[in-house]
Amino acid sequence: MGVVKDRFKAKADASNVEIKDLIKEHGNKKIGEVTLAQAYQGMRGITGLVTETSLLDAQEGIRFRGYSIPELQEKLPKAPDGGEPLPEGLFFLMLLGELPTEDDVNHITNTWQRRSHVPNYVFATIDALPISAHPMTMFVTAVMALQTESNFAKEYAKGISKKDYWSSIYDDTMDLIARLPRIAAYIYRRKYKNNEHIQPNGLLDWAGNLAHMMGYEDESFKELMRLYMTIHADHEGGNVSAHTTHLVGSALSDPFLSYAAGMNGLAGPLHGLANQEVIKWIFEMQEELGTDDPTKEQIADYVQKTLAAGKVVPGYGHAVLRKTDPRFTAQMEFGKKHMPDDKLVNTVWKIYETVPPILQSLGKVKNPWPNVDAHSGALLVHFGLVEYEFYTVLFAVSRSLGVLASLCWDRALGFPLERPKSVTTESVKLWLEGKGQIWD
Ligand code: AMX
């Protein structure tokens, strides 16, 4: 077994013992009261999942194994001459709960380089889709085509023991993460760059190689990709993409099937597709106003118009967060460092000053502050990546790190099939009339 794999097994064995004791002693304690409103309204605030890789605080934002984004930027190893963390290090941290050394990160980079070969039939599958297909459709289709490579599916068919599931899940995780940059870059070059493809560079890190294969050689863009891949990787377990991956995995669907399912959720406009919606919305605003440098007053009018049309302001609001997303702030800092005078980036900052009081004044929006998607597109446009339909693919590549590290833990801890109880409105009405809980 590999070094990281051995260490993961040791951690998982210890956690299994600890959690068994915890459930034995405290399993009957209530950790939340489920209300009727929660059942009807998206299960907000119900604590009903265990996800080891990260934890979201409504006020403070995300912490990955206890570390905030600024702490990760300081503590995780960086590329030579680079200032942003290598996402390989974040994966190591999420999987093992320990900060990696430079050697640990190099080991992951090399492992992913070694496992990165994408079979030709996957590219042929992408090519079979019309060029007009959305990049996320191409992406999940490619991941599904790659499912034929699943070690777990093959091992399961042979009849392996439950206690060995984690091993081939781990191998699938490493294979899949390793191959995603190649698949993403292929889709980008096929759809937007005349089908002219760029071979991987075996000396580059995971995110740097993605930038290279997409055709972006600027060192600042590679730095942006390292930051982007780090901050989008995980947001605890209840968000649509993480929860879906976990749920589908609980049926013992392999990591390819589970991750593809999760990414279909990421492709929704209330979740990961919001990054394309933000830039689309800003471009439409620029066109309507006839300027690429709108004033705050013009932006405020446009926001009111968006709301009056019954639409949401993309990039603002969150189901859990109640303050400015630290992932927004990290990107703002990147913008101040690398492109302080960029007009589009400055527009994003003006929107930040304009939108929250307007959303607050509606009286119903629980979080008027920007989320991660409010900023990412403007940084990408700065480097020439204007094809905004592609943005969610970048989010998906990054999200693989968190949801697949979590899937390794799900199988290592033997989490069972996920199957919450549902009720009908009819049964709820009978219960409210005092006629008993017919679901008991
Ligand atoms: N613009 C306008 N109205 C908004 C709003 C926004 N940005 N955010 C919330 N609202 C509205 C809701 O639509 C809802 O209206 P309704 O009662 O008429 O249906 C009301 O405010 C209450 O919603 P909430 O409890 O504050 O939010 P939620 O938990 O139901 O939904 C989210 C959260 C993210 C879907 C919502 O804020 C939204 O639609 N934001 C815009 C899309 C977006 O940026 N999504 C990306 C989120 C981050 C991510 O997953 N990548």
Side-chain angles (χ1 to χ4, degrees):
M1 271 200 262
V3 184
V4 178
K5 195 170 176 183
D6 282 342
R7 289 176 65 174
F8 175 67
K9 174 81 171 89
K11 296 253 170 196
D13 285 349
S15 284
N16 262 312
V17 173
E18 192 184 29
I19 290 172
K20 227 182 219 161
D21 287 349
L22 203 136
I23 294 172
K24 202 166 151 197
E25 206 176 322
H26 304 288
N28 289 331
K29 288 189 180 152
K30 275 194 171 175
I31 58 168
E33 289 287 326
V34 177
T35 64
L36 202 52
Q38 286 173 311
Y40 275 100
Q41 293 169 340
M43 299 194 276
R44 295 294 186 285
I46 298 177
T47 304
L49 286 170
V50 174
T51 302
E52 307 288 8
T53 45
S54 64
L55 187 63
L56 182 57
D57 181 271
Q59 306 299 324
E60 196 197 40
I62 192 68
R63 278 185 181 268
F64 301 83
R65 294 282 191 175
Y67 295 98
S68 68
I69 287 171
E71 284 166 357
L72 291 182
Q73 284 176 301
E74 187 203 321
K75 291 180 195 299
L76 286 180
K78 299 162 180 65
D81 304 324
E84 299 298 343
L86 286 167
E88 287 89 329
L90 178 65
F91 176 77
F92 183 100
L93 175 67
M94 287 191 290
L95 187 75
L96 294 172
E98 289 171 20
L99 282 173
T101 62
E102 299 244 344
D103 279 353
D104 292 327
V105 165
N106 286 339
H107 173 75
I108 304 258
T109 301
N110 294 338
T111 304
W112 289 350
Q113 279 280 5
R114 208 174 54 245
R115 292 178 179 235
S116 65
H117 174 73
V118 176
N120 277 336
Y121 66 82
V122 174
F123 298 129
T125 305
I126 297 170
D127 289 343
L129 289 168
I131 199 81
S132 59
H134 192 279
M136 278 303 280
T137 305
M138 296 190 194
F139 184 76
V140 289
T141 303
V143 173
M144 290 299 295
L146 205 52
Q147 187 271 340
T148 54
E149 301 269 305
S150 170
N151 300 289
F152 177 76
K154 289 186 194 111
E155 291 297 310
Y156 191 86
K158 280 190 217 155
I160 48 166
S161 157
K162 280 181 181 179
K163 67 178 174 31
D164 295 328
Y165 289 167
W166 72 273
S167 176
S168 46
I169 293 285
Y170 175 92
D171 287 330
D172 280 356
T173 289
M174 297 306 257
D175 285 348
L176 180 50
I177 293 174
R179 293 165 192 193
L180 292 177
R182 190 86 210 276
I183 290 173
Y186 186 90
I187 292 167
Y188 183 70
R189 303 288 309 180
R190 173 180 184 241
K191 191 166 166 81
Y192 304 114
K193 301 289 168 185
N194 228 5
N195 226 355
E196 288 163 8
H197 298 286
I198 298 171
Q199 289 305 304
N201 176 342
L203 299 174
L204 281 171
D205 54 285
W206 187 71
N209 213 3
L210 170 62
H212 159 73
M213 288 186 285
M214 286 173 62
Y216 292 85
E217 294 302 349
D218 188 323
E219 276 309 313
S220 301
F221 186 82
K222 291 195 176 114
E223 280 289 275
L224 176 61
M225 279 300 98
R226 291 171 191 131
L227 176 67
Y228 188 106
M229 293 294 139
T230 298
I231 62 176
H232 287 80
D234 210 33
H235 218 224
E236 74 170 33
N239 66 78
V240 171
S241 53
H243 188 188
T244 307
T245 307
H246 165 80
L247 169 69
V248 174
S250 83
L252 297 185
S253 303
D254 63 56
F256 297 85
L257 298 173
S258 307
Y259 169 72
M263 295 312 104
N264 280 314
L266 192 77
L270 294 189
H271 191 18
L273 204 81
N275 56 11
Q276 82 163 43
E277 295 301 295
V278 167
I279 284 299
K280 188 166 163 245
W281 181 78
I282 296 177
F283 284 168
E284 283 167 1
M285 171 171 69
Q286 287 177 342
E287 192 165 319
E288 189 168 315
L289 298 174
T291 172
D292 60 0
D293 195 13
T295 63
K296 284 197 237 170
E297 290 68 34
Q298 285 175 309
I299 292 170
D301 286 348
Y302 196 76
V303 169
Q304 295 290 7
K305 207 175 151 194
T306 301
L307 294 171
K311 296 191 255 182
V312 294
V313 180
Y316 282 76
H318 200 272
V320 179
L321 271 172
R322 293 295 175 259
K323 285 269 163 72
T324 295
D325 191 335
R327 302 173 298 175
F328 177 91
T329 312
Q331 295 180 89
M332 196 161 140
E333 294 304 320
F334 188 94
K336 284 183 192 161
K337 185 173 161 195
H338 292 269
M339 57 205 71
D341 301 323
D342 184 290
K343 273 191 194 152
L344 184 63
V345 170
N346 276 275
T347 298
V348 164
W349 298 343
K350 272 190 237 168
I351 294 171
Y352 180 31
E353 289 171 34
T354 313
V355 167
I358 299 178
L359 290 184
Q360 239 152 4
S361 72
L362 297 180
K364 64 173 183 178
V365 181
K366 294 195 191 65
N367 177 37
W369 302 106
N371 57 57
V372 67
D373 299 310
H375 208 309
S376 54
L379 301 181
L380 297 168
V381 170
H382 175 82
F383 291 101
L385 212 171
V386 294
E387 302 91 354
Y388 53 74
E389 280 199 342
F390 186 74
Y391 294 173
T392 311
V393 173
L394 293 176
F395 197 154
V397 173
S398 168
R399 193 41 67 99
S400 69
L401 303 176
V403 300
L404 292 171
S406 283
L407 207 60
C408 288
W409 275 103
D410 291 349
R411 296 292 77 75
L413 297 177
F415 283 172
L417 180 79
E418 192 171 292
R419 205 321 188 167
K421 178 83 186 83
S422 72
V423 291
T424 60
T425 299
E426 201 47 43
S427 65
V428 168
K429 286 196 279 193
L430 289 171
W431 170 62
L432 291 173
E433 286 165 19
K435 294 184 178 151
Q437 295 185 24
I438 63 164
W439 55 84
D440 276 343

mmCIF file of all heavy atoms in Angstrom, residues 178-211:
data_model
loop_
_atom_site.group_PDB
_atom_site.id
_atom_site.type_symbol
_atom_site.label_atom_id
_atom_site.label_comp_id
_atom_site.label_asym_id
_atom_site.label_seq_id
_atom_site.Cartn_x
_atom_site.Cartn_y
_atom_site.Cartn_z
ATOM 1 N N ALA A 178 -7.177 12.478 -10.219
ATOM 2 C CA ALA A 178 -6.011 12.630 -11.098
ATOM 3 C C ALA A 178 -6.422 12.952 -12.532
ATOM 4 O O ALA A 178 -5.729 13.676 -13.245
ATOM 5 C CB ALA A 178 -5.189 11.347 -11.075
ATOM 6 N N ARG A 179 -7.561 12.410 -12.967
ATOM 7 C CA ARG A 179 -7.952 12.526 -14.377
ATOM 8 C C ARG A 179 -8.820 13.747 -14.685
ATOM 9 O O ARG A 179 -8.997 14.099 -15.850
ATOM 10 C CB ARG A 179 -8.699 11.251 -14.791
ATOM 11 C CG ARG A 179 -7.775 10.049 -14.778
ATOM 12 C CD ARG A 179 -8.523 8.743 -14.829
ATOM 13 N NE ARG A 179 -7.596 7.649 -14.516
ATOM 14 C CZ ARG A 179 -7.866 6.378 -14.721
ATOM 15 N NH1 ARG A 179 -9.007 6.018 -15.240
ATOM 16 N NH2 ARG A 179 -6.981 5.448 -14.406
ATOM 17 N N LEU A 180 -9.383 14.359 -13.652
ATOM 18 C CA LEU A 180 -10.344 15.442 -13.899
ATOM 19 C C LEU A 180 -9.755 16.659 -14.630
ATOM 20 O O LEU A 180 -10.421 17.207 -15.521
ATOM 21 C CB LEU A 180 -11.010 15.869 -12.583
ATOM 22 C CG LEU A 180 -11.942 14.821 -11.973
ATOM 23 C CD1 LEU A 180 -12.488 15.304 -10.636
ATOM 24 C CD2 LEU A 180 -13.106 14.488 -12.928
ATOM 25 N N PRO A 181 -8.518 17.093 -14.292
ATOM 26 C CA PRO A 181 -7.988 18.253 -15.045
ATOM 27 C C PRO A 181 -7.904 17.979 -16.548
ATOM 28 O O PRO A 181 -8.210 18.848 -17.361
ATOM 29 C CB PRO A 181 -6.587 18.445 -14.437
ATOM 30 C CG PRO A 181 -6.702 17.913 -13.053
ATOM 31 C CD PRO A 181 -7.622 16.718 -13.173
ATOM 32 N N ARG A 182 -7.512 16.751 -16.907
ATOM 33 C CA ARG A 182 -7.395 16.409 -18.337
ATOM 34 C C ARG A 182 -8.775 16.481 -19.009
ATOM 35 O O ARG A 182 -8.920 17.013 -20.113
ATOM 36 C CB ARG A 182 -6.819 14.983 -18.420
ATOM 37 C CG ARG A 182 -6.411 14.539 -19.787
ATOM 38 C CD ARG A 182 -4.997 14.961 -20.141
ATOM 39 N NE ARG A 182 -4.844 15.164 -21.583
ATOM 40 C CZ ARG A 182 -4.593 14.196 -22.453
ATOM 41 N NH1 ARG A 182 -4.415 12.975 -22.028
ATOM 42 N NH2 ARG A 182 -4.478 14.457 -23.739
ATOM 43 N N ILE A 183 -9.781 15.938 -18.325
ATOM 44 C CA ILE A 183 -11.146 15.943 -18.879
ATOM 45 C C ILE A 183 -11.655 17.385 -19.010
ATOM 46 O O ILE A 183 -12.181 17.785 -20.053
ATOM 47 C CB ILE A 183 -12.081 15.105 -17.980
ATOM 48 C CG1 ILE A 183 -11.728 13.630 -18.109
ATOM 49 C CG2 ILE A 183 -13.552 15.352 -18.322
ATOM 50 C CD1 ILE A 183 -12.466 12.718 -17.137
ATOM 51 N N ALA A 184 -11.457 18.180 -17.960
ATOM 52 C CA ALA A 184 -11.941 19.575 -17.976
ATOM 53 C C ALA A 184 -11.267 20.352 -19.105
ATOM 54 O O ALA A 184 -11.929 21.069 -19.867
ATOM 55 C CB ALA A 184 -11.665 20.239 -16.626
ATOM 56 N N ALA A 185 -9.943 20.204 -19.205
ATOM 57 C CA ALA A 185 -9.202 20.959 -20.231
ATOM 58 C C ALA A 185 -9.620 20.508 -21.629
ATOM 59 O O ALA A 185 -9.742 21.331 -22.546
ATOM 60 C CB ALA A 185 -7.700 20.766 -20.035
ATOM 61 N N TYR A 186 -9.884 19.217 -21.778
ATOM 62 C CA TYR A 186 -10.313 18.710 -23.095
ATOM 63 C C TYR A 186 -11.639 19.369 -23.497
ATOM 64 O O TYR A 186 -11.807 19.810 -24.640
ATOM 65 C CB TYR A 186 -10.460 17.180 -23.053
ATOM 66 C CG TYR A 186 -10.758 16.587 -24.420
ATOM 67 C CD1 TYR A 186 -9.726 16.182 -25.268
ATOM 68 C CD2 TYR A 186 -12.071 16.445 -24.875
ATOM 69 C CE1 TYR A 186 -9.982 15.662 -26.532
ATOM 70 C CE2 TYR A 186 -12.344 15.929 -26.133
ATOM 71 C CZ TYR A 186 -11.299 15.531 -26.952
ATOM 72 O OH TYR A 186 -11.567 15.017 -28.209
ATOM 73 N N ILE A 187 -12.558 19.435 -22.547
ATOM 74 C CA ILE A 187 -13.868 20.055 -22.828
ATOM 75 C C ILE A 187 -13.679 21.529 -23.207
ATOM 76 O O ILE A 187 -14.260 22.015 -24.179
ATOM 77 C CB ILE A 187 -14.796 19.918 -21.593
ATOM 78 C CG1 ILE A 187 -15.157 18.446 -21.386
ATOM 79 C CG2 ILE A 187 -16.040 20.794 -21.726
ATOM 80 C CD1 ILE A 187 -15.796 18.134 -20.043
ATOM 81 N N TYR A 188 -12.827 22.210 -22.454
ATOM 82 C CA TYR A 188 -12.594 23.639 -22.727
ATOM 83 C C TYR A 188 -12.030 23.841 -24.136
ATOM 84 O O TYR A 188 -12.530 24.673 -24.901
ATOM 85 C CB TYR A 188 -11.628 24.213 -21.676
ATOM 86 C CG TYR A 188 -11.394 25.690 -21.855
ATOM 87 C CD1 TYR A 188 -12.409 26.608 -21.592
ATOM 88 C CD2 TYR A 188 -10.163 26.169 -22.311
ATOM 89 C CE1 TYR A 188 -12.208 27.973 -21.772
ATOM 90 C CE2 TYR A 188 -9.956 27.529 -22.495
ATOM 91 C CZ TYR A 188 -10.981 28.421 -22.224
ATOM 92 O OH TYR A 188 -10.786 29.775 -22.413
ATOM 93 N N ARG A 189 -11.011 23.064 -24.476
ATOM 94 C CA ARG A 189 -10.349 23.256 -25.786
ATOM 95 C C ARG A 189 -11.273 22.807 -26.923
ATOM 96 O O ARG A 189 -11.254 23.376 -27.990
ATOM 97 C CB ARG A 189 -9.025 22.481 -25.845
ATOM 98 C CG ARG A 189 -8.018 22.818 -24.767
ATOM 99 C CD ARG A 189 -7.345 24.145 -24.892
ATOM 100 N NE ARG A 189 -6.750 24.434 -26.175
ATOM 101 C CZ ARG A 189 -6.108 25.576 -26.455
ATOM 102 N NH1 ARG A 189 -6.017 26.529 -25.535
ATOM 103 N NH2 ARG A 189 -5.596 25.789 -27.648
ATOM 104 N N ARG A 190 -12.077 21.769 -26.654
ATOM 105 C CA ARG A 190 -12.991 21.304 -27.708
ATOM 106 C C ARG A 190 -14.044 22.369 -27.997
ATOM 107 O O ARG A 190 -14.296 22.715 -29.145
ATOM 108 C CB ARG A 190 -13.685 20.005 -27.270
ATOM 109 C CG ARG A 190 -14.775 19.593 -28.263
ATOM 110 C CD ARG A 190 -15.514 18.327 -27.896
ATOM 111 N NE ARG A 190 -16.443 18.004 -28.957
ATOM 112 C CZ ARG A 190 -17.764 17.931 -28.816
ATOM 113 N NH1 ARG A 190 -18.312 18.113 -27.637
ATOM 114 N NH2 ARG A 190 -18.528 17.647 -29.848
ATOM 115 N N LYS A 191 -14.630 22.889 -26.919
ATOM 116 C CA LYS A 191 -15.776 23.783 -27.108
ATOM 117 C C LYS A 191 -15.356 25.197 -27.530
ATOM 118 O O LYS A 191 -16.032 25.825 -28.325
ATOM 119 C CB LYS A 191 -16.602 23.834 -25.817
ATOM 120 C CG LYS A 191 -17.952 24.527 -25.988
ATOM 121 C CD LYS A 191 -18.869 24.277 -24.810
ATOM 122 C CE LYS A 191 -20.049 25.226 -24.805
ATOM 123 N NZ LYS A 191 -21.144 24.869 -25.688
ATOM 124 N N TYR A 192 -14.226 25.657 -26.984
ATOM 125 C CA TYR A 192 -13.907 27.078 -27.190
ATOM 126 C C TYR A 192 -12.621 27.348 -27.970
ATOM 127 O O TYR A 192 -12.367 28.477 -28.348
ATOM 128 C CB TYR A 192 -13.792 27.783 -25.834
ATOM 129 C CG TYR A 192 -15.033 27.635 -24.978
ATOM 130 C CD1 TYR A 192 -15.001 26.912 -23.785
ATOM 131 C CD2 TYR A 192 -16.246 28.207 -25.374
ATOM 132 C CE1 TYR A 192 -16.134 26.772 -23.004
ATOM 133 C CE2 TYR A 192 -17.383 28.075 -24.597
ATOM 134 C CZ TYR A 192 -17.327 27.348 -23.410
ATOM 135 O OH TYR A 192 -18.448 27.206 -22.644
ATOM 136 N N LYS A 193 -11.766 26.335 -28.156
ATOM 137 C CA LYS A 193 -10.455 26.606 -28.766
ATOM 138 C C LYS A 193 -10.222 25.705 -29.971
ATOM 139 O O LYS A 193 -9.140 25.112 -30.127
ATOM 140 C CB LYS A 193 -9.331 26.434 -27.722
ATOM 141 C CG LYS A 193 -9.463 27.353 -26.513
ATOM 142 C CD LYS A 193 -9.162 28.807 -26.849
ATOM 143 C CE LYS A 193 -9.589 29.715 -25.695
ATOM 144 N NZ LYS A 193 -9.437 31.139 -25.992
ATOM 145 N N ASN A 194 -11.285 25.588 -30.775
ATOM 146 C CA ASN A 194 -11.113 24.942 -32.081
ATOM 147 C C ASN A 194 -10.673 23.487 -32.005
ATOM 148 O O ASN A 194 -9.997 22.997 -32.912
ATOM 149 C CB ASN A 194 -10.065 25.740 -32.861
ATOM 150 C CG ASN A 194 -10.532 26.027 -34.251
ATOM 151 O OD1 ASN A 194 -11.675 25.701 -34.599
ATOM 152 N ND2 ASN A 194 -9.652 26.608 -35.059
ATOM 153 N N ASN A 195 -10.942 22.832 -30.893
ATOM 154 C CA ASN A 195 -10.570 21.422 -30.735
ATOM 155 C C ASN A 195 -9.055 21.213 -30.792
ATOM 156 O O ASN A 195 -8.587 20.126 -31.126
ATOM 157 C CB ASN A 195 -11.243 20.591 -31.838
ATOM 158 C CG ASN A 195 -11.878 19.334 -31.277
ATOM 159 O OD1 ASN A 195 -11.731 19.029 -30.079
ATOM 160 N ND2 ASN A 195 -12.554 18.584 -32.114
ATOM 161 N N GLU A 196 -8.302 22.270 -30.471
ATOM 162 C CA GLU A 196 -6.826 22.138 -30.475
ATOM 163 C C GLU A 196 -6.383 21.853 -29.045
ATOM 164 O O GLU A 196 -6.493 22.716 -28.173
ATOM 165 C CB GLU A 196 -6.188 23.424 -31.003
ATOM 166 C CG GLU A 196 -6.403 23.591 -32.501
ATOM 167 C CD GLU A 196 -6.167 25.016 -32.981
ATOM 168 O OE1 GLU A 196 -5.690 25.859 -32.191
ATOM 169 O OE2 GLU A 196 -6.507 25.271 -34.152
ATOM 170 N N HIS A 197 -5.894 20.636 -28.823
ATOM 171 C CA HIS A 197 -5.619 20.203 -27.453
ATOM 172 C C HIS A 197 -4.149 20.359 -27.080
ATOM 173 O O HIS A 197 -3.283 20.393 -27.941
ATOM 174 C CB HIS A 197 -6.112 18.770 -27.267
ATOM 175 C CG HIS A 197 -7.598 18.674 -27.465
ATOM 176 N ND1 HIS A 197 -8.503 19.131 -26.526
ATOM 177 C CD2 HIS A 197 -8.340 18.264 -28.529
ATOM 178 C CE1 HIS A 197 -9.736 18.980 -26.994
ATOM 179 N NE2 HIS A 197 -9.664 18.464 -28.208
ATOM 180 N N ILE A 198 -3.925 20.470 -25.767
ATOM 181 C CA ILE A 198 -2.560 20.672 -25.257
ATOM 182 C C ILE A 198 -2.230 19.497 -24.343
ATOM 183 O O ILE A 198 -3.005 19.165 -23.441
ATOM 184 C CB ILE A 198 -2.483 22.012 -24.476
ATOM 185 C CG1 ILE A 198 -2.812 23.173 -25.420
ATOM 186 C CG2 ILE A 198 -1.114 22.189 -23.831
ATOM 187 C CD1 ILE A 198 -2.985 24.518 -24.715
ATOM 188 N N GLN A 199 -1.103 18.865 -24.606
ATOM 189 C CA GLN A 199 -0.700 17.699 -23.813
ATOM 190 C C GLN A 199 -0.349 18.121 -22.385
ATOM 191 O O GLN A 199 0.143 19.230 -22.163
ATOM 192 C CB GLN A 199 0.521 17.014 -24.456
ATOM 193 C CG GLN A 199 0.198 16.286 -25.754
ATOM 194 C CD GLN A 199 -0.940 15.270 -25.583
ATOM 195 O OE1 GLN A 199 -0.875 14.383 -24.744
ATOM 196 N NE2 GLN A 199 -2.009 15.433 -26.359
ATOM 197 N N PRO A 200 -0.578 17.220 -21.401
ATOM 198 C CA PRO A 200 -0.205 17.559 -20.020
ATOM 199 C C PRO A 200 1.312 17.751 -19.879
ATOM 200 O O PRO A 200 2.077 17.204 -20.665
ATOM 201 C CB PRO A 200 -0.670 16.340 -19.215
ATOM 202 C CG PRO A 200 -1.055 15.286 -20.187
ATOM 203 C CD PRO A 200 -1.225 15.906 -21.527
ATOM 204 N N ASN A 201 1.698 18.512 -18.863
ATOM 205 C CA ASN A 201 3.118 18.687 -18.542
ATOM 206 C C ASN A 201 3.397 17.894 -17.268
ATOM 207 O O ASN A 201 2.894 18.232 -16.189
ATOM 208 C CB ASN A 201 3.404 20.181 -18.329
ATOM 209 C CG ASN A 201 4.832 20.449 -17.898
ATOM 210 O OD1 ASN A 201 5.524 19.546 -17.439
ATOM 211 N ND2 ASN A 201 5.259 21.687 -18.040
ATOM 212 N N GLY A 202 4.177 16.827 -17.399
ATOM 213 C CA GLY A 202 4.435 15.915 -16.287
ATOM 214 C C GLY A 202 5.189 16.531 -15.125
ATOM 215 O O GLY A 202 5.372 15.886 -14.094
ATOM 216 N N LEU A 203 5.635 17.769 -15.275
ATOM 217 C CA LEU A 203 6.395 18.390 -14.180
ATOM 218 C C LEU A 203 5.536 19.345 -13.346
ATOM 219 O O LEU A 203 5.998 19.857 -12.323
ATOM 220 C CB LEU A 203 7.588 19.178 -14.753
ATOM 221 C CG LEU A 203 8.607 18.337 -15.528
ATOM 222 C CD1 LEU A 203 9.660 19.227 -16.170
ATOM 223 C CD2 LEU A 203 9.255 17.308 -14.603
ATOM 224 N N LEU A 204 4.316 19.553 -13.790
ATOM 225 C CA LEU A 204 3.493 20.552 -13.094
ATOM 226 C C LEU A 204 2.605 19.939 -12.011
ATOM 227 O O LEU A 204 2.265 18.754 -12.061
ATOM 228 C CB LEU A 204 2.604 21.288 -14.101
ATOM 229 C CG LEU A 204 3.284 22.385 -14.923
ATOM 230 C CD1 LEU A 204 2.356 22.873 -16.026
ATOM 231 C CD2 LEU A 204 3.703 23.548 -14.028
ATOM 232 N N ASP A 205 2.240 20.771 -11.047
ATOM 233 C CA ASP A 205 1.284 20.369 -10.018
ATOM 234 C C ASP A 205 -0.109 20.251 -10.644
ATOM 235 O O ASP A 205 -0.343 20.681 -11.776
ATOM 236 C CB ASP A 205 1.284 21.404 -8.883
ATOM 237 C CG ASP A 205 1.032 22.808 -9.400
ATOM 238 O OD1 ASP A 205 1.940 23.410 -9.989
ATOM 239 O OD2 ASP A 205 -0.120 23.291 -9.256
ATOM 240 N N TRP A 206 -1.040 19.706 -9.866
ATOM 241 C CA TRP A 206 -2.395 19.368 -10.356
ATOM 242 C C TRP A 206 -3.112 20.591 -10.937
ATOM 243 O O TRP A 206 -3.603 20.562 -12.069
ATOM 244 C CB TRP A 206 -3.157 18.770 -9.175
ATOM 245 C CG TRP A 206 -4.501 18.202 -9.426
ATOM 246 C CD1 TRP A 206 -4.794 17.047 -10.100
ATOM 247 C CD2 TRP A 206 -5.748 18.723 -8.935
ATOM 248 N NE1 TRP A 206 -6.147 16.828 -10.061
ATOM 249 C CE2 TRP A 206 -6.758 17.832 -9.358
ATOM 250 C CE3 TRP A 206 -6.112 19.837 -8.180
ATOM 251 C CZ2 TRP A 206 -8.099 18.028 -9.042
ATOM 252 C CZ3 TRP A 206 -7.445 20.041 -7.869
ATOM 253 C CH2 TRP A 206 -8.424 19.144 -8.300
ATOM 254 N N ALA A 207 -3.141 21.700 -10.180
ATOM 255 C CA ALA A 207 -3.853 22.897 -10.651
ATOM 256 C C ALA A 207 -3.052 23.620 -11.738
ATOM 257 O O ALA A 207 -3.627 24.141 -12.696
ATOM 258 C CB ALA A 207 -4.119 23.848 -9.477
ATOM 259 N N GLY A 208 -1.733 23.635 -11.602
ATOM 260 C CA GLY A 208 -0.879 24.276 -12.609
ATOM 261 C C GLY A 208 -1.026 23.571 -13.947
ATOM 262 O O GLY A 208 -1.071 24.209 -15.016
ATOM 263 N N ASN A 209 -1.125 22.259 -13.902
ATOM 264 C CA ASN A 209 -1.280 21.473 -15.135
ATOM 265 C C ASN A 209 -2.633 21.732 -15.788
ATOM 266 O O ASN A 209 -2.742 21.786 -17.008
ATOM 267 C CB ASN A 209 -1.120 19.984 -14.808
ATOM 268 C CG ASN A 209 -0.493 19.214 -15.949
ATOM 269 O OD1 ASN A 209 -0.123 19.785 -16.983
ATOM 270 N ND2 ASN A 209 -0.375 17.915 -15.780
ATOM 271 N N LEU A 210 -3.664 21.916 -14.961
ATOM 272 C CA LEU A 210 -4.985 22.247 -15.503
ATOM 273 C C LEU A 210 -4.896 23.558 -16.286
ATOM 274 O O LEU A 210 -5.358 23.651 -17.432
ATOM 275 C CB LEU A 210 -6.011 22.357 -14.363
ATOM 276 C CG LEU A 210 -7.382 22.932 -14.744
ATOM 277 C CD1 LEU A 210 -8.086 22.061 -15.777
ATOM 278 C CD2 LEU A 210 -8.269 23.085 -13.502
ATOM 279 N N ALA A 211 -4.273 24.574 -15.673
ATOM 280 C CA ALA A 211 -4.112 25.873 -16.345
ATOM 281 C C ALA A 211 -3.351 25.686 -17.654
ATOM 282 O O ALA A 211 -3.758 26.200 -18.701
ATOM 283 C CB ALA A 211 -3.364 26.837 -15.427
#
